[in-house]
Amino acid sequence: MATIKDVAKKAGVSPSTVSRVIAGSNRISQETKERVRRAMEQLGYVPNAIARSLARSNTHTIGFTMCRRADQVFSNPFFPEAIRGMSAVAQEKDYNILLSISLTPEEELKKCLQLVRERRVDGLILSTSRVRDPLIEALVKENIPFVVIGRSADQPVRSVNNDNVKAGYQATLHLLDQGYRHIAYISGPQDLVVSMDRLTGYKQALIERDIPVVPERIEVAEISEEGGTQAMYHLREKGVPFDAVVAADDLLALGALRYAHEQGVHVPDELGIVGFNDTPIMSYTHPPLTSVRILSYQLGVEAMELLLEGLEHPEKAQTKKEILLPSELIVRKSSCPDRP
């Protein structure tokens, strides 16, 4: 670990000058302050007084990190529900939650490491995981306590997840059982493990019924209602026939429903729609939307309990443990046509 002398040497100043910069002295020039702060950042230096005081006791704060636009975070009911579950456990255990929202994976990585190195959090809960996730790799390398909501595709970690492959399979199989044959799929970002898993389930169901997987029927979209609508128009522009759609999130399913209303396509007789998460609004759309119920609140509860277990028993923090929660297909009118 870097010392104050290391910072002084790198910045070309005396150790006492570094101390004055840390203390916020007005007697140091702005140029010198910036040079010292750059050296501290490059060396990963935490001021000794702060490090010693924080080392004596936990912060009793857990970081919850999300990589997406802030308006997307709070417009998607999944995240408030997951946070509600985390908060119930945190309140009971006298912990606080710090939200960290980033626009890019690179920003998320930098923020998370900064939170931990500055001893502002005791551990982290990751809202999702990516294929070849640099954040997970860095947290494992630095021996930082964390839990993933989802799963890591690359290495064993502590996680809370749904069986998203099975859920994608069941959603698609339901549409096939209802007589649909040209089923499209709207995916979230392809680098997300949850997107990959649900798409895998979709493909498995088609293959099991000897129906070819048509790449042109698969669209990738930003997880929003607008993203779902745009994906439907892209499918139409390709000229590939489709009579149903599995949407990897309820917001995408709402976008598909909006497309149907705009184009005068009757749901479910001309277009079947299935979403994911089963947010409350799905019961009140016209027609009500079929959706895979994901236990968002329970995911938050289990993630917080799993992380706190690792903090209370450090020997467990580095051992893999995956908690798998059940999901349930909630069937409504949007996927049940009136067949002759």
Side-chain angles (χ1 to χ4, degrees):
M1 180 178 287
T3 68
I4 198 168
K5 290 182 180 179
D6 297 327
V7 175
K9 182 178 179 180
K10 189 169 186 65
V13 299
S14 67
S16 61
T17 298
V18 176
S19 296
R20 292 190 185 99
V21 172
I22 292 170
S25 172
N26 293 325
R27 298 171 59 189
I28 308 298
S29 71
Q30 187 62 33
E31 179 185 352
T32 301
K33 286 180 181 178
E34 290 175 358
R35 194 162 71 248
V36 169
R37 287 167 182 157
R38 275 199 305 272
M40 290 170 62
E41 182 176 354
Q42 290 168 1
L43 293 171
Y45 175 74
V46 178
N48 284 338
I50 297 174
R52 282 199 302 269
S53 66
L54 292 178
R56 285 195 293 268
S57 62
N58 294 332
T59 67
H60 270 251
T61 300
I62 300 301
F64 179 49
T65 177
M66 295 165 281
C67 184
R68 59 191 65 221
R69 293 202 319 265
D71 63 318
Q72 290 182 341
V73 169
F74 295 107
S75 65
N76 190 330
F78 172 84
F79 293 106
E81 271 296 284
I83 293 170
R84 191 168 71 89
M86 291 177 214
S87 300
V89 178
Q91 186 176 55
E92 181 183 337
K93 301 286 188 178
D94 196 27
Y95 271 80
N96 300 307
I97 298 174
L98 186 153
L99 297 183
S100 177
I101 304 174
S102 306
L103 283 172
T104 66
E106 294 76 19
E107 182 187 2
E108 183 180 34
L109 173 60
K110 181 179 178 181
K111 282 184 176 181
C112 286
L113 292 180
Q114 186 176 6
L115 285 173
V116 175
R117 287 168 178 168
E118 292 179 358
R119 309 296 197 271
R120 293 169 62 190
V121 298
D122 296 331
L124 293 164
I125 296 175
L126 280 54
S127 64
T128 189
S129 60
R130 294 177 176 78
V131 180
R132 294 180 295 279
D133 197 321
L135 176 55
I136 290 178
E137 291 176 6
L139 296 178
V140 170
K141 182 179 179 181
E142 299 208 11
N143 204 29
I144 295 167
F146 73 98
V147 166
V148 177
I149 294 180
R151 71 175 182 89
S152 170
D154 307 303
Q155 53 188 308
V157 300
R158 292 168 76 80
S159 63
V160 182
N161 195 20
N162 300 105
D163 189 340
N164 286 298
V165 174
K166 183 178 180 181
Y169 167 85
Q170 290 177 333
T172 309
L173 204 63
H174 164 70
L175 289 170
L176 291 169
D177 287 343
Q178 294 301 310
Y180 298 103
R181 287 296 175 267
H182 307 295
I183 303 171
Y185 183 84
I186 305 178
S187 171
Q190 287 181 305
D191 64 330
L192 298 183
V193 175
V194 63
S195 297
M196 178 181 71
D197 286 349
R198 290 175 181 175
L199 177 59
T200 297
Y202 159 83
K203 291 178 178 178
Q204 285 181 356
L206 294 180
I207 292 169
E208 183 180 288
R209 293 293 180 88
D210 295 322
I211 294 176
V213 176
V214 179
E216 289 77 16
R217 288 201 181 103
I218 300 171
E219 274 291 318
V220 177
E222 178 185 83
I223 298 178
S224 65
E225 184 177 343
E226 181 62 30
T229 302
Q230 290 178 359
M232 295 297 289
Y233 278 104
H234 289 162
L235 286 167
R236 189 183 73 166
E237 289 167 6
K238 291 177 185 178
V240 58
F242 58 92
D243 58 4
V245 61
V246 176
D249 189 279
D250 283 346
L251 292 177
L252 296 171
L254 289 171
L257 184 61
R258 187 210 295 178
Y259 160 86
H261 288 163
E262 289 176 355
Q263 294 301 309
V265 176
H266 187 274
V267 177
D269 291 344
E270 295 176 289
L271 179 69
I273 303 175
V274 175
F276 269 84
N277 291 343
D278 192 38
T279 49
I281 194 174
M282 304 302 271
S283 299
Y284 300 102
T285 57
H286 181 70
L289 282 164
T290 295
S291 184
V292 178
R293 179 171 291 167
I294 302 297
L295 303 179
S296 310
Y297 176 87
Q298 196 62 31
L299 282 169
V301 167
E302 297 287 352
M304 183 62 75
E305 288 183 343
L306 188 59
L307 181 57
L308 295 184
E309 176 192 63
L311 293 175
E312 293 169 9
H313 305 282
E315 72 279 3
K316 295 182 179 180
Q318 302 307 315
T319 59
K320 177 186 177 181
K321 182 176 181 179
E322 182 181 26
I323 297 173
L324 204 60
L325 298 183
S327 59
E328 180 185 3
L329 183 69
I330 306 301
V331 177
R332 301 188 180 94
K333 184 60 179 174
S334 71
S335 61
C336 299
D338 296 322
R339 299 294 186 191

